[in-house]
């Protein structure tokens, strides 16, 4: 048992190091033009959003359509902290950014907790609609508040997390992925998965369903909030309209394509689906059509024998760590 | 004092009195059978005992402590575990994880350790795995530990449900038709296992079965339920020879 888990750890460290080195080389070699370097941070952000949404949708089994809402709460909280504490010089920049990341996550988590409470009473479609409404409410509230500067939004947010600071972004992404995949291989994670598979049975073996549902929502919101903070400090401007349900659906599409309850799947799908629109930019008005075709192709692949066959393949098994 | 005491238990669904004036007293260590025809209310009794339904009437005490009004997870913590007539496994989890999940309140560590797999996580997880494997071995399921529960053959799924219930370390184990869908050989083997776990884990068992003869062979005491009320109770010999039982149940 112990040997296997150590092997797993080394494999993870290997993957992390290799991807970091690859990104560094790509950036410094000049192989990437401006169009692609600007994608690095959005990729990491989408990975974080997808993995955190997977916790609620894939592992807990509740369809959430309000993930962009949590992202926006994090984004605005973080941006306000950097604008008021970092830019004004009250706090040194790294401290201000650390505070922005933490507070953005925590405030989003509090909202995740609050939305988690009605979730206890609702199921399936009803819950999905509630989360959708939640996202829209957040958007309207941000739109009408003074501190968030209403529809005009916030601008000149310091660019603490743009591609020049990709190391910080990379670390936060790795932390998110590791935290959630570790969680899923723990006592709490099993409780969450058990609730998805059969809530009545989960209760019957002593699992408090309400506790774990709220917890899953709060943790998921926390990481979505952190992703929002990175977004704010990458783009430099925030507008309430950015975080509408289209964004939530976009994240959901990544999760579904990557596979419900598959963390590596979420990561891979996030990378592909973030790069894809850029690759298709040349196609101009065929772009959305091609995007849709790729989505369908990926969906078919996901449900196909080819994928099953690949999964059975020895080398693939070894690579994905399912061989042990 | 009896382990389980149920008095005047009742519940209605709409106009239907599914269980009415039900009472049962189970002593520690007993293997008790609850039998009755289809729709008699047996499963409903289990749902009342485990807090899935709240009774409209009556009292339930375990070791002298009231259970009425507690939720299913609390009742499990008080020491009552169950299986389901229509199997309810965690289908997308492995056999081993199904049992480890049931150790939820037996082996615990902090929420923080769930994120950072430090020494306490490793130690407790190893302990969980060991305990789970011990239980799986009793049911000869350890060979399937990495199989997804939903991919197990039907008979093994039934056994895994019992294993999972046992992992919660119950005082009282409720089995709802554990042999349903099994062939006579499997059934005989299962009954042997049930007897064995009672000895090994010092638990009390209340068992629902359709097949009266099967139950008579293993249970020390029986209650017959019909239309939600008790028709007869006593030792298998007494019950099987009760004319009321013969007409209502065997005579059908
Ligand atoms: N949630 C419910 N809502 C309405 N009626 C119910 C409910 N649960 C059970 N009943 C009814 O209560 C009666 C007893 O059902 P129960 O499932 O307890 O019977 P049973 O003795 O377990 O039967 P079987 O041998 O078929 O499993 C049935 O008439 C059933 O339709
Ligand atoms: Mg029944």
């Amino acid at each position: 048992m112990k040997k296997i888990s150590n092997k797993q750890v080394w494999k993870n460290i290997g993957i992390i190091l290799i991807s970091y080195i690859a990104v560094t080389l790509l950036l410094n070699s000049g192989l990437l033009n401006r169009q692609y370097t600007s994608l690095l941070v959005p990729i990491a952000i989408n990975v974080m959003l997808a993995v955190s949404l997977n916790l609620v949708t894939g592992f807990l089994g509740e369809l959430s359509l309000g993930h962009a809402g949590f992202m926006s709460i994090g984004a605005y909280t973080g941006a306000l902290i950097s604008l008021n504490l970092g830019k004004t010089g009250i706090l040194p920049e790294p401290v201000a950014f650390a505070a922005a990341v933490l507070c953005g996550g925590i405030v989003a988590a509090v909202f995740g907790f609050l939305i988690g409470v009605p979730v206890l009473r609702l199921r399936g479609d009803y819950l999905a609609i509630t989360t959708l409404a939640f996202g829209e409410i957040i958007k309207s509230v941000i739109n009408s508040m003074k501190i968030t500067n209403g529809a005009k939004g916030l601008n000149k947010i310091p660019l603490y997390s743009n591609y020049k600071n990709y190391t910080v972004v990379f670390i936060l992404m790795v932390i998110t992925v590791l935290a959630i995949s570790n969680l899923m291989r723990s006592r709490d994670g099993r409780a969450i998965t058990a609730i998805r598979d059969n809530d009545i049975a989960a209760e019957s073996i002593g699992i408090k369903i309400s506790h774990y549902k709220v917890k899953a929502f709060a943790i998921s919101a926390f990481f979505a909030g952190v992703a929002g903070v990175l977004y704010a400090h990458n783009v430099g401007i925030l507008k309430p309209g950015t975080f509408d349900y289209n964004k939530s659906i976009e994240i959901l599409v990544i999760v579904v394509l990557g596979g419900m309850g598959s963390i590596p799947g979420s990561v891979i799908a996030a990378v592909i689906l973030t790069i894809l629109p850029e690759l298709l930019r040349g196609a101009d008005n065929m772009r959305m059509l091609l995007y849709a075709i790729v989505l369908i192709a990926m969906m078919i692949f996901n449900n196909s024998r080819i994928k099953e066959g690949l999964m059975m393949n020895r080398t693939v098994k070894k690579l994905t760590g399912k061989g042990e | 004092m009896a382990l389980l005491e149920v008095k005047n238990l009742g519940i209605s669904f709409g106009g239907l009195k599914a269980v009415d004036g039900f009472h049962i007293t189970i002593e520690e260590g007993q293997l008790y059978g609850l039998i009755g025809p289809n729709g008699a209310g047996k499963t409903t009794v289990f749902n009342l005992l485990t807090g899935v339904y709240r009774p409209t009437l009556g009292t339930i005490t375990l070791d002298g402590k009231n259970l009425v009004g507690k939720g299913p997870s609390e009742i499990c913590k008080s020491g009552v575990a169950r299986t389901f007539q229509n199997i309810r496994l965690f289908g997308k989890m492995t056999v081993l994880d199904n049992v480890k999940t049931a150790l939820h309140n037996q082996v615990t560590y902090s929420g923080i350790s769930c994120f950072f797999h430090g020494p306490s996580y490793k130690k407790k997880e190893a302990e969980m795995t060991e305990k789970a494997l011990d239980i799986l071995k009793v049911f000869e399921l350890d060979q399937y530990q990495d199989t997804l529960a939903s991919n197990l053959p039907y008979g093994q799924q039934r056994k895994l449900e019992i294993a999972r219930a046992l992992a919660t370390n119950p005082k009282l184990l409720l089995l709802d038709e554990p042999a349903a869908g099994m062939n006579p050989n499997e059934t005989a083997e299962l009954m042997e296992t049930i007897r064995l776990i009672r000895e090994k884990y010092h638990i009390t068992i209340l068992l629902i079965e359709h097949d009266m003869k099967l139950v008579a062979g293993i249970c020390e005491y029986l209650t017959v339920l019909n239309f939600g009320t008790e028709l007869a109770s006593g030792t298998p010999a007494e019950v099987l020879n009760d004319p009321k039982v013969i007409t209502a149940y065997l005579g059908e």
Side-chain angles (χ1 to χ4, degrees), chain B residues 33-243:
Chain B
L34 182 61
I35 58 177
N38 276 110
K42 307 179 294 293
T43 300
T44 306
V45 167
F46 271 23
N47 285 336
L48 289 167
L49 292 179
T50 53
V52 175
Y53 299 149
R54 206 191 161 111
T56 26
L57 260 181
T59 60
I60 305 168
T61 56
L62 183 82
D63 265 341
K65 285 188 214 85
N66 170 49
L67 292 188
V68 175
K70 287 190 181 179
S73 66
E74 268 179 279
I75 289 180
C76 172
K77 280 180 214 163
S78 318
V80 182
R82 72 174 292 183
T83 65
F84 297 87
Q85 184 172 357
N86 47 340
I87 300 176
R88 288 178 176 278
L89 287 170
F90 307 129
K92 294 214 177 101
M93 299 171 80
T94 63
V95 167
L96 181 65
D97 273 350
N98 266 267
V99 180
K100 280 174 86 174
T101 309
L103 290 166
H104 190 77
N105 296 314
Q106 302 306 311
V107 185
T108 63
Y109 50 83
S110 74
I112 300 292
S113 295
C114 292
F115 290 108
F116 307 101
H117 290 180
S120 101
Y121 165 88
K122 293 211 171 91
K123 193 174 137 240
K124 297 285 184 173
E125 280 290 316
E127 186 187 335
M128 272 185 168
T129 305
E130 195 187 315
K131 279 193 171 175
L133 283 176
D134 278 348
I135 296 173
L136 284 175
K137 272 184 199 133
V138 174
F139 294 88
E140 288 167 4
L141 286 170
D142 49 321
Q143 51 187 319
Y144 300 113
Q145 56 169 300
D146 295 324
T147 309
L148 290 188
S150 56
N151 292 345
L152 278 184
Y154 186 79
Q156 313 286 16
Q157 291 198 9
R158 286 232 168 264
K159 288 208 251 172
L160 178 56
E161 263 215 332
I162 305 177
R164 184 181 67 184
L166 260 185
T168 65
N169 191 25
K171 293 175 198 155
L172 175 66
L173 179 61
L174 311 177
L175 303 175
D176 198 343
E177 303 201 17
M182 289 187 175
N183 66 35
N185 275 339
E186 287 174 321
T187 306
E189 203 184 297
L190 179 72
M191 292 302 153
E192 205 39 60
T193 313
I194 289 173
R195 244 181 282 206
L196 181 101
I197 57 172
R198 176 172 67 146
E199 303 304 324
K200 192 172 152 94
Y201 295 98
H202 309 288
I203 51 172
T204 309
I205 296 175
L206 173 61
L207 178 126
I208 292 180
E209 245 322 322
H210 243 46
D211 185 343
M212 241 214 205
K213 291 195 192 76
L214 189 151
V215 160
I218 159 170
C219 294
E220 292 136 3
Y221 218 81
L222 294 180
T223 287
V224 186
L225 206 59
N226 200 16
F227 297 118
T229 55
E230 183 193 292
L231 191 67
S233 68
T235 62
E238 284 165 6
V239 168
L240 289 175
N241 293 320
D242 191 317

Side-chain angles (χ1 to χ4, degrees), chain A residues 65-70 72 130-140 243-245 248:
Chain A
L65 300 174
H67 213 52
F70 299 124
S72 69
T130 308
T131 53
L132 182 73
F134 160 79
E136 292 302 296
I137 290 170
I138 293 291
K139 198 180 86 183
S140 320
F243 307 101
D244 61 355
Y245 67 86
S248 295

